[in-house]
């Protein structure tokens, strides 16, 4: 077992204060020891001793992690380590066999269906490849959550949709296109706009760099940073792309074999003495991570 350590590095004062508090969190023992006047003040999401198996395959094996409020957290790990399964647990699409998930202090497994549906409205999600409805235009894709979950009239919906499309760089006629007419990067941007239309407190990105070349990946990371700086909120990026983590991660957690190996400030993580973390973040063949 190990305790993560963080330092503020070159972070701004607000981020530095968050990271100094985060240094007190013992991930492997599930100790959420950061003092909070109210549940959820510091940790936007807390995962405590999560276990999840599919048949004989144990995907989460006593996983503990805290997601700090108001920051961009990157959850990194090799392929097949349970990153997307973790994301599904955070929004109550899956439930742990054992353990608890707290969103702003409220236990997700203990929620009624009504409470669960209300909790999910706190989240915006950018799925892999945007997950757009192929039979709808970009505009109707982005408008879909507003039409489903609000009583806004079409003028209000149009103002919101066009504002979000402009924010992600898809104004000027792109709203009329069908998903099949878009490049991979444009589909991601459209999915990002849709994730934002309900003004979520937490935005999650499932492998946002999947299928993009290095230049478009860098541009998407730049957009994520820009939108976060303008809107605030808690962003969670699930990826195995080291370059993306270095670009946008303020707080980084490394997942391996169903547990968080280490988490903390970006600079500390890339200078980690942990042999697995050091090997994975450097992309070296030599170390505890093999082809299994």
């Amino acid at each position: 077992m190990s305790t993560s350590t963080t330092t503020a590095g070159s972070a701004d004062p607000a981020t530095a204060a968050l990271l100094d508090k985060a240094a007190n969190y013992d991930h492997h023992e599930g100790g959420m020891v950061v003092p909070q006047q109210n549940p959820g003040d510091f940790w936007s999401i807390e995962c405590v001793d999560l276990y999840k198996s599919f048949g004989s395959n144990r995907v989460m094996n006593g996983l503990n992690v805290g997601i700090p409020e108001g920051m961009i957290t990157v959850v990194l790990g090799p392929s097949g380590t349970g990153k997307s399964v973790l994301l599904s647990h955070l929004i109550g699409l899956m439930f742990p066999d054992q353990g608890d998930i707290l969103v702003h202090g409220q236990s997700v497994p203990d929620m009624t269906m009504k409470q669960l549906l209300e909790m999910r409205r706190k989240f915006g999600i950018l799925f892999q490849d945007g997950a757009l409805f192929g039979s709808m235009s970009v505009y109707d894709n982005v408008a879909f959550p507003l039409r489903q979950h609000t009583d806004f009239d079409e003028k209000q919906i149009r103002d919101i949709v066009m504002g979000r499309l402009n924010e992600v760089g898809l104004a000027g006629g792109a709203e009329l296109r069908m998903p099949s007419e878009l490049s991979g990067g444009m589909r991601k941007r459209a999915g990002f706009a849709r994730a934002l239309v309900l003004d979520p407190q937490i935005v999650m990105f499932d492998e946002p760099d999947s299928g993009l070349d290095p230049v478009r990946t860098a541009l998407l990371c730049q957009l994520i940073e820009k939108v976060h700086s303008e809107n605030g909120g808690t962003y969670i990026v699930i990826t195995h792309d080291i370059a993306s983590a270095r670009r946008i991660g303020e707080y980084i957690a490394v997942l391996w074999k169903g547990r968080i190996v280490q988490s903390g400030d970006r600079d500390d993580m890339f200078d980690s003495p942990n042999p697995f973390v050091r090997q994975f973040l450097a992309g070296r063949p030599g170390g505890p991570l093999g082809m299994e």
Side-chain angles (χ1 to χ4, degrees):
M1 294 190 180
S2 63
T3 303
S4 67
T5 58
T6 63
T7 58
S10 57
D12 62 81
T15 301
L18 287 174
L19 291 171
D20 285 343
K21 289 182 181 179
N24 296 320
Y25 176 50
D26 187 332
H27 298 267
H28 284 185
E29 293 183 356
M32 302 290 182
V33 298
V34 174
Q36 302 182 110
Q37 185 173 356
N38 300 297
D41 280 351
F42 177 73
W43 298 114
S44 181
I45 300 174
E46 303 164 60
C47 298
V48 185
D49 295 331
L50 296 188
Y51 289 84
K52 182 67 175 181
S53 297
F54 298 97
S56 61
N57 180 28
R58 177 167 283 179
V59 179
M60 293 193 293
N61 186 28
L63 184 147
N64 291 277
V65 70
I67 306 296
E69 180 76 25
M71 297 173 66
I72 300 177
T73 293
V74 175
V75 179
L76 272 168
S79 298
T81 54
K83 300 186 299 296
S84 293
V85 171
L86 173 61
L87 183 150
S88 296
H89 278 72
L90 300 185
I91 55 176
L93 293 177
M94 293 182 182
F95 296 95
D97 300 328
Q98 183 179 328
D100 202 3
I101 302 149
L102 304 173
V103 175
H104 294 147
Q106 296 183 305
S107 172
V108 174
D110 289 344
M111 289 181 181
T112 64
M113 181 54 68
K114 181 180 179 181
Q115 291 171 327
L116 190 61
L117 294 174
E118 186 65 27
M119 182 275 293
R120 286 176 182 160
R121 293 190 62 177
K122 295 183 176 185
F123 288 84
I125 305 173
L126 174 58
F127 295 100
Q128 294 185 31
D129 199 38
L132 302 178
F133 298 112
S135 61
M136 294 182 182
S137 67
V138 169
Y139 179 91
D140 287 331
N141 265 282
V142 178
F144 184 82
L146 294 167
R147 290 170 175 159
Q148 289 291 309
H149 300 295
T150 75
D151 57 2
F152 295 158
D153 61 37
E154 283 300 314
K155 182 183 183 304
Q156 292 172 302
I157 289 174
R158 180 168 183 81
D159 288 343
I160 295 170
V161 169
M162 295 309 296
R164 290 305 190 185
L165 286 172
N166 184 67
E167 192 171 20
V168 301
L170 280 181
E175 72 276 8
L176 302 176
R177 297 188 190 182
M178 301 300 285
S180 61
E181 300 175 296
L182 303 179
S183 67
M186 293 176 74
R187 286 195 297 271
K188 302 274 190 180
R189 288 171 181 262
F192 192 7
R194 185 176 62 185
L196 295 171
V197 291
L198 291 176
D199 291 321
Q201 300 173 45
I202 303 168
V203 183
M204 300 199 301
F205 304 81
D206 186 12
E207 302 279 3
D209 41 71
S210 175
L212 297 183
D213 61 59
V215 173
R216 287 177 175 81
T217 295
L219 289 171
L220 181 61
C221 288
Q222 186 179 61
L223 178 62
I224 291 171
E225 278 192 305
K226 172 182 173 290
V227 174
H228 181 261
S229 68
E230 293 172 351
N231 293 280
T234 300
Y235 281 20
I236 306 167
V237 180
I238 306 290
T239 186
H240 60 262
D241 185 71
I242 308 305
S244 295
R246 189 182 288 276
R247 286 189 188 102
I248 63 175
E250 298 173 285
Y251 193 80
I252 295 174
V254 176
L255 176 64
W256 188 36
K257 294 186 177 180
R259 305 182 79 196
I260 298 298
V261 179
Q262 185 182 355
S263 63
D265 166 48
R266 170 176 52 202
D267 293 338
D268 281 356
M269 291 297 289
F270 277 93
D271 291 332
S272 172
N274 183 294
F276 170 80
V277 174
R278 187 169 61 249
Q279 179 198 2
F280 181 67
L281 295 182
R284 296 171 182 158
L289 176 61
M291 293 292 289
E292 71 275 6

